[in-house]
Amino acid sequence: MKRQVEHAPEALPSQTPPATKILKGEEESKAQPTPVPAARPKETGGKAEIGRQQERMGPARVSDHCRDMSGGCSDFDKEQKLQQEEAEFTSLKASWEKVKFRLRLLEGHSDIVTCVVAVDNLVVSGSRDTTVKVWHVPTATEHKHLGGHTGGVTCLSAPAPEYCKRLAWSLSLSDKERFILSGSADCYVKIWALSIGQCVKSIYTFNAVTALCFVPEKDGYIITGSDGGKVQAWSWHTFENCQSVNAHQEAVTSIQSQGPLVFTGSAEGGMSVWENRCLSRDPLRLLHHWTGQVTGCGGGLGGRLSLSPRGDKVFLAYGRAWLKILHWRTGTTSRLTNHSSITGVADCVHQIGGLLIGSCYDLANGESTLNLFSLPQCRYLATLTWPDAPRILCFAAWTTGSGDHRWVTGGRDLIVWEQLPSSGKQRSDVTVKRDSRLDSCSLESEEDTEDDEETDDYEDDHDSDEGKDNRRDDAEDGGSGSWLRCILQ
């Protein structure tokens, strides 16, 4: 049982490190220099001369003494650092135990919300009802209705502002225009101008689009994944296809970028890491491919792998009671407990700042929660829930200028989370609780596989539990596999 993982770099998907650092394998955690004690002031006068004489007379003895002192200081510094980290974690845990959120329901979609992104003060949602909607967060009202897809909307992505400016100039629009990308089962990727609420470009991909990501490297690239496992790259400059690769055996369910790296995950539980070489043809070069046997996410039919990269690690959610942590360079894995029972399933995983957020839905009792962990240590902080919480299938998060959290969750309902002052009198809509069982078994080594086997055995009976869950609420698809199949219909 390991209580901690090795230090993960602080770079986030939205705040990526320079390309050279990642491609050369320079882990940021190693690149960060260890704090060195400040040098002592130089001695002057007679004391300095005496010091020089002592150095000439007994260099070996002085050297040994310095080594002894250095070792003692190092151990002392390590102890102090551990105490400081523990104090910071205790303070962080206490603050999350007191957190308050106001929840606001965004009503307008007629079917399950499959994807969400945040752009400035706007939330953009895609649904199985074939529509994309834009919401104004401060007023919790529908801002734009974007209709044009003929199949369920499966994925969204927001290009970086500088790339939006380039496209806006070419279309004679304001340089403040923001765009959103949407992918659908109708085989189209559409580019929408948010201020005017119109589709400015449609790209036909010849395959049902199940995952989508904008990569802000050089001229910019759109990376798409299909229901047949194909990964495709498209130029943001010309919107032409640059590359098509049969990368996975089943549907690509998640695509994320980090600097020049692109991560793709698929329904069979496999994950691939690509280098974007920023070429006009075949820009993606495969660096690593890890099968479902390696990631520990295989074994389910038509599953849905959700991933979130952080430096040399990738957090994976695959409809199980735990999150997997894959070291993508070596293929080694750790398992982060996300539910105290095997009846819990994780549908999505997300990072913001030093916070890891995993969704969890209990198939046995229908309880839906969000579990919070500190990064990079992956230590359990708290669990958030609310009455009649629906299953959370997608998640987006950002912070305000004052540092307060704003989240949006999608599934049967689309809900905006607004953090309230903890000292205020306004009552929280969210209940904060702690599961002591997650405290005791948060992070587990992959050396012991008995729990994996127990969970895999449970998957054999998964369909029967799904049936019970579906009878309770037809709008919530009980298993990740059935959710994905419904998306593609």
Side-chain angles (χ1 to χ4, degrees), residues 25-26 39 51 53 129 146 265 283 340 451 455 479:
E26 298 176 1
Q53 290 178 1
D129 65 11
L146 310 179
S340 56
D451 291 339
T455 304

Side-chain angles (χ1 to χ4, degrees), residues 140-306:
T141 57
E142 184 177 326
H143 183 63
K144 298 287 183 182
H145 172 93
L146 310 179
H149 282 296
T150 58
V153 179
T154 58
C155 45
L156 297 168
S157 185
E162 58 268 30
Y163 291 89
C164 291
K165 282 185 179 181
R166 298 180 192 178
L167 181 57
W169 289 336
S170 67
L171 298 173
S172 300
L173 298 174
S174 168
D175 59 2
K176 295 182 180 180
E177 182 65 74
R178 296 300 301 270
F179 297 92
I180 202 77
L181 310 177
S182 64
S184 168
D186 64 7
C187 304
Y188 276 99
V189 171
K190 291 185 178 292
I191 304 175
W192 308 86
L194 294 184
S195 67
I196 60 177
Q198 293 181 5
C199 176
V200 296
K201 184 68 179 179
S202 291
I203 303 173
Y204 188 71
T205 68
F206 297 94
N207 303 276
V209 182
T210 52
L212 170 72
C213 181
F214 181 83
V215 180
E217 291 288 313
K218 289 203 173 177
D219 290 337
Y221 295 85
I222 303 170
I223 309 298
T224 61
S226 78
D227 61 340
K230 183 179 291 186
V231 172
Q232 296 179 288
W234 310 80
S235 168
W236 179 249
H237 179 64
T238 63
F239 302 110
E240 295 180 354
N241 180 254
C242 304
Q243 187 175 5
S244 294
V245 183
N246 291 318
H248 297 279
Q249 297 176 358
E250 295 186 30
V252 180
T253 58
S254 185
I255 304 178
Q256 298 287 337
S257 69
Q258 179 180 261
L261 300 179
V262 176
F263 301 80
T264 60
S266 68
E268 82 270 9
M271 197 203 77
S272 294
V273 185
W274 311 78
E275 174 195 351
N276 182 5
R277 297 173 295 178
C278 300
L279 303 176
S280 58
R281 299 298 304 174
D282 299 332
L284 299 180
R285 180 173 73 92
L286 182 64
L287 297 179
H288 297 278
H289 175 76
W290 303 110
T291 66
Q293 290 181 332
V294 175
T295 65
C297 296
L301 295 176
R304 176 176 177 259
L305 180 69
S306 174

